[in-house]
Amino acid sequence: IDKKYIAELKKLVVNDEAIKNNQKNIKIVYTPLHGTGNRLVHAILSELGFENVYVVPEQEKPDGNFPTVDYPNPEDPKAFKLALELAKEKDADLILANDPDADRLGMYVKDTKTGEYMTYTGNMSALLIAEYRISQMKEKGILPDNGMFVTTIVSSNLAKDIASNYNLDCYEVLTGFKNIGAIMRNAEETGKNKYVFGFEESYGCLIGDYARDKDGIAAVMALCEAACYAKLQDKTLWDMMQDIYKKYGYYKETQVSIVREGAEGAQEIQDMMTKTRQKDITEIAGLKVLKFKDIQKDIEKNMKNGKITKTGLPTSNVLYYELENNNWCCVRPSGTEPKIKLYMGVKARSEKKAIEKL
């Protein structure tokens, strides 16, 4: 199965030449965070000819006690402490970390202009992969005419811009990769669309239709290939990200969690959702609400004319506010933790403006 899987990933490389030109020049630091990723990451990168791959030795072996990290999650900057130390020692181009079951990926990339290692959110790394792969597919004439791009309602709106730029149908689903999988299945059964890319903001993406879940090993491969392509242009992956912002606009997103523990906390979270649901909110942070979606009640209200339509999404305790000028926010209780989660995204003409707005 491992061999078949590696063979499947190799078929998904879109620019062999870029890898051949830079497989000896790119320096990669990798950590599986004491999890399962190391063997397959090693297998795919060595198959593709990458020679300078440095695995964080203290985190290389599987260990369910996770002795070197408080929280083995690539979303947590503290999980990168040892990887950053190794990267500085080796002068690495990029640092990649899978979570313990290797379906998600976090990364830092060296900005050669400042010498600093810059962190990527899950939105940023996935959309960098998307723009790179889709632009290459278009250039090589292998982008399907009926291609589709699947995203989630709490992921970056930059996804819609990329999909639109390459004439891909864009589908928005609820959080959870099973929802992306359901769209893929439906597309296969109806023949309406061919899957090109799918992701969610929580550090998970899938670059091909060989699976029905996010795949952190394939994401490692895609980013290493993109780094080779960037190097051909004397650029880094950080430069490539800035190019994307210059092309589409500066999109920034964040998530805030409010923790409320125990039975009292669960009730408080429920009350927060009920109160917010009942308010007729017309403005948030000085921005007009254009559309309000209550996904539990399956209603979408146009705030301009009061017209109500269906959301077309499965029932879920989620409230979504589409704001003017391509801004948005969303609130939902966590399904697994005692938290209420607030998501928000902005778009601006400059990074400074986007950060202020956020």
Side-chain angles (χ1 to χ4, degrees), residues 221-337:
M221 179 192 85
L223 286 163
C224 292
E225 180 191 335
C228 288
Y229 179 79
K231 215 166 183 86
L232 282 181
Q233 273 92 32
D234 287 324
K235 288 182 177 181
T236 66
L237 287 181
W238 189 250
D239 298 326
M240 268 175 91
M241 197 73 228
Q242 299 315 304
D243 289 346
I244 289 170
Y245 289 140
K246 282 171 197 144
K247 179 174 174 179
Y248 296 104
Y250 284 83
Y251 285 86
K252 292 273 174 198
E253 300 79 28
T254 193
Q255 187 216 108
V256 180
S257 291
I258 302 168
V259 178
R260 292 288 183 268
E261 307 244 352
E264 272 179 35
Q267 187 58 51
E268 201 179 333
I269 286 171
Q270 202 176 322
D271 292 346
M272 283 187 210
M273 289 300 294
T274 304
K275 278 180 193 163
T276 311
R277 181 170 268 117
Q278 288 164 353
K279 283 179 191 165
D280 205 14
I281 298 169
T282 56
E283 197 179 276
I284 296 173
L287 295 160
K288 283 194 187 79
V289 178
L290 303 181
K291 277 184 192 160
F292 164 63
K293 295 179 192 177
D294 183 339
I295 292 159
Q296 193 163 48
K297 293 182 177 174
D298 194 24
I299 58 169
E300 180 178 305
K301 184 179 180 184
N302 183 319
M303 300 301 278
K304 208 170 182 182
N305 58 23
K307 192 178 170 198
I308 290 175
T309 52
K310 288 186 180 299
T311 65
L313 293 164
T315 305
S316 185
N317 193 6
V318 178
L319 303 172
Y320 187 95
Y321 301 87
E322 186 183 310
L323 310 175
E324 60 187 336
N325 305 331
N326 225 316
N327 306 289
W328 60 275
C329 57
C330 176
V331 56
R332 73 178 184 98
S334 167
T336 52
E337 297 170 296

Side-chain angles (χ1 to χ4, degrees), residues 148-161:
M148 70 172 180
F149 189 131
V150 194
T151 178
T152 71
I153 61 166
V154 296
S155 299
S156 174
N157 276 351
L158 175 51
K160 294 174 192 167
D161 263 11

Side-chain angles (χ1 to χ4, degrees), residues 29 31 33 56 58-59 68-71 73-74 76-89 95 97 108 117:
V29 162
T31 174
L33 293 177
V56 176
E58 300 91 333
Q59 297 171 337
T68 65
V69 285
D70 294 337
Y71 188 40
N73 185 342
D76 183 359
K78 292 198 285 291
F80 280 86
K81 183 177 178 289
L82 293 172
L84 279 161
E85 286 168 11
L86 183 60
K88 283 167 189 162
E89 183 195 315
I95 305 168
Y108 277 74
Y117 283 96

